[in-house]
Amino acid sequence: EQSLVAWQALQNGQPNPLGDLLAHDERITRYVDAAAIPEMLDASEHIGDAPERARLLAAEIRRTVTAQ
């Protein structure tokens, strides 16, 4: 629900309000401290499975090149 509200704000050229929306939603803050939400939403250090996907792509390229 909150992400859809935030998405609409972004579509209207407004700043992303998701952190504030979550921090003021009692359904969330019942389980998560509102002060912790900004850190939880910070994806600047998150790379997910990119290293593994890069290794798989490199292996596929090597297989393709050596098969020619």
Side-chain angles (χ1 to χ4, degrees):
E1 178 182 329
Q2 301 300 8
S3 64
L4 292 176
V5 173
W7 178 248
Q8 187 63 48
L10 292 171
Q11 293 297 311
N12 292 327
Q14 300 168 353
N16 188 344
L18 184 59
D20 287 337
L21 292 169
L22 294 174
H24 291 95
D25 187 332
E26 290 181 10
R27 296 170 295 179
I28 302 296
T29 57
R30 183 178 316 150
Y31 303 102
V32 177
D33 181 28
I37 291 174
E39 183 180 341
M40 295 172 93
L41 293 176
D42 180 11
S44 63
E45 303 272 332
H46 179 71
I47 60 169
D49 66 346
E52 178 62 20
R53 292 184 320 154
R55 283 189 288 276
L56 291 171
L57 178 60
E60 180 64 28
I61 292 170
R62 281 193 293 276
R63 278 192 296 275
T64 301
V65 169
T66 57
Q68 294 178 358

